[in-house]
């Protein structure tokens, strides 16, 4: 059938809509079952101090280990989980897994570094539930709050800044630090940013990608780092894939880096092996 203004285009439209809706519905059912079976785990990506190559933190990234479909990355299900109110339960599974591993590495004397967990905007909206969940999990694992960091994307921080500032303050009072994720993609008001009691900015990887080839991106990254330093925030560059990017970022004073150049996100067992063997990390030259 041809697309146009006639009734046939309406038909195509509804068929496509129907197929999409059916897909979403199927995904929703699969997600609910996976949550019941606790199929969500945390993978870990190390965060490296740029000048020393030391591991100074790690980010927990959700992975769905499906018995039928294998490993599924978050891009395939986060939106549906948010839309159908399943994100809290999913996040709790990730947070528990992240804290369980982190506590284990502390107890084994392998690593005493914080783990950063991603929190969706919706959860910041439901702040009471978020705080209760975090308190409960930290208590269950007897984990000191300074070993937990929460990441909030710039866009969700800025969509309801008054509420987000308040939640970040409540978390900070508990000893949990917060980071703004995907910085540069979310239209920050700098006067609002200044009021967030955060400890860290994470430069979105879309800027890091071409930092050595696009002078515009290089200038933006420099400005973000200068601003972070002036506001006394740590700054992490995400998505560092090449030695040239590492060299550049070191040269302009970026404290920490995270990316495939150092390590892909790893299952807990592989992260533990990395703490045991301490492979040399790429260093700036
Ligand atoms: P994010 O929080 O910005 O996480 C960084 C993403 O960049 C991760 O993708 C990571 O695998 C990827 N990455 C890291 N280094 C490199 C690199 O050098 N090159 C490239 N190309 N990619 C790199 P992932 O794990 O697929 O997660 C995607 C997004 O899904 C995350 O972006 C975050 O927004 C969301 N997400 C992940 N886990 C959770 C979670 O537990 N809860 C919530 N609400 N969202 C999550
Ligand atoms: Mg993140
Ligand atoms: Mg990010
Ligand atoms: Mg992202």
């Amino acid at each position: 059938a041809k697309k146009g203004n006639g009734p046939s285009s309406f038909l195509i439209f509804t068929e496509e809509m129907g197929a999409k809706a059916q897909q979403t519905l199927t995904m929703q059912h699969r997600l609910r079952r996976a949550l019941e079976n606790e199929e969500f785990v945390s993978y870990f990506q190390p965060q490296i101090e740029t000048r020393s190559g030391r591991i100074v933190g790690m980010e927990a990234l959700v992975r769905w280990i499906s018995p039928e479909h294998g490993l599924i990355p978050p891009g395939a299900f986060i939106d549906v989980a948010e839309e159908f109110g399943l994100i809290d339960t999913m996040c709790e599974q990730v947070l528990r897994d992240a804290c369980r591993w982190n506590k284990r590495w502390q107890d084994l004397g392998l690593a005493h570094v914080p783990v950063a967990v991603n929190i969706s905007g919706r959860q910041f909206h439901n702040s009471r539930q978020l705080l209760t969940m975090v308190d409960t999990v930290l208590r269950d694992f007897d984990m000191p709050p300074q070993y937990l960091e929460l990441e909030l994307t710039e866009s969700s921080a800025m969509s309801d800044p008054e509420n987000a500032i308040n939640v970040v303050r409540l978390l900070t009072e508990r000893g949990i630090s917060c980071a703004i994720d995907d910085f540069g993609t979310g239209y920050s008001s700098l006067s609002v940013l200044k009021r967030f009691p955060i400890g860290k900015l994470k430069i979105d990887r879309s800027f890091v990608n071409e930092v050595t080839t696009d002078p515009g991106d290089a200038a933006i990254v420099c400005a973000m780092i200068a601003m972070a330093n002036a506001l006394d925030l740590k700054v992490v560059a995400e998505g560092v894939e090449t030695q040239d990017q590492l060299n550049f970022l070191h040269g302009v004073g970026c404290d920490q880096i995270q990316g495939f150049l150092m390590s892909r996100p790893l299952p807990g067992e592989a992260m533990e092996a990395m703490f045991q063997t301490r492979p040399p990390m790429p260093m700036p030259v």
Side-chain angles (χ1 to χ4, degrees):
K2 77 182 199 353
K3 297 219 182 197
N5 291 325
S8 65
S9 67
F10 181 68
L11 197 66
I12 290 166
F13 182 68
T14 53
E15 276 169 6
E16 280 173 7
M17 290 282 288
K20 182 80 177 70
Q22 187 56 51
Q23 256 175 30
T24 307
L25 205 64
T26 306
M27 178 56 95
Q28 189 210 153
H29 289 312
R30 289 178 53 207
L31 279 175
R32 285 187 195 279
R33 209 181 40 198
L35 284 166
E36 276 167 26
N37 299 337
E38 300 191 22
E39 291 169 6
F40 295 92
V41 302
S42 176
Y43 271 38
F44 299 92
Q45 190 177 35
Q47 297 173 329
I48 311 292
E49 186 177 56
T50 314
R51 63 180 164 80
S52 68
R54 285 188 319 144
I55 297 178
V56 290
M58 60 185 111
E59 180 173 6
L61 294 154
V62 64
R63 297 292 182 266
W64 176 4
I65 313 291
S66 155
E68 306 110 70
H69 300 92
L71 188 147
I72 308 173
F77 58 85
I78 287 278
D79 289 351
V80 179
E82 285 227 21
E83 189 183 339
F84 291 95
L86 305 173
I87 199 84
D88 299 283
T89 316
M90 195 203 77
C91 180
E92 183 167 349
Q93 289 184 15
V94 175
L95 181 65
R96 283 188 177 275
D97 202 35
C99 289
R100 183 183 303 120
W101 280 106
N102 188 278
K103 176 70 174 162
R104 173 180 159 85
W105 297 326
Q106 290 178 50
D107 291 347
L108 291 172
L110 286 173
H112 298 275
V113 296
V115 60
V117 174
N118 292 281
I119 300 295
S120 84
R122 214 188 153 98
Q123 293 176 282
F124 261 71
H125 215 72
N126 240 329
S127 54
R128 232 224 276 264
Q129 193 173 347
L130 173 66
L131 293 164
T132 306
M133 177 180 75
V134 168
D135 287 342
T136 307
V137 173
L138 288 179
R139 207 185 44 225
D140 286 354
F141 290 98
D142 192 21
M143 182 146 133
Q146 60 270 23
Y147 286 103
L148 180 62
E149 184 175 272
L150 298 182
E151 292 190 7
L152 168 67
T153 65
E154 184 188 27
S155 17
S156 41
M158 293 301 157
S159 77
D160 184 359
E162 292 313 320
N163 174 63
I165 288 169
N166 194 37
V167 180
V168 170
R169 186 175 300 125
L170 291 168
L171 288 163
T172 308
E173 282 168 10
R174 286 162 158 78
I176 300 161
S177 60
C178 294
I180 300 276
D181 200 358
D182 301 350
F183 189 69
T185 61
Y187 309 103
S188 264
S189 147
L190 297 183
S191 61
V192 172
L193 181 71
K194 180 185 81 174
R195 294 175 43 224
F196 269 89
I198 49 163
K200 207 185 244 189
L201 281 186
K202 300 189 73 180
I203 300 177
D204 191 70
R205 76 164 191 265
S206 58
F207 301 100
V208 176
N209 228 339
E210 291 186 61
V211 82
T212 59
T213 50
D214 181 329
D217 285 342
I220 290 169
V221 167
C222 286
M224 289 193 221
I225 292 168
M227 186 189 69
N229 287 337
L231 292 173
D232 217 17
L233 303 175
K234 287 261 180 248
V235 58
V236 187
E238 296 190 297
V240 177
E241 293 184 353
T242 70
Q243 178 73 40
D244 285 348
Q245 290 166 352
L246 165 58
N247 296 343
F248 176 90
L249 290 161
H250 178 247
V252 296
C254 184
D255 306 301
Q256 296 178 16
I257 48 176
Q258 182 184 338
F260 294 173
L261 178 65
M262 284 65 63
S263 173
R264 287 180 176 264
L266 301 170
E269 292 81 2
M271 188 73 221
E272 181 162 315
M274 182 177 265
F275 285 130
Q276 277 164 339
T277 57
R278 306 192 172 273
M281 285 294 163
M283 295 286 287
V285 293

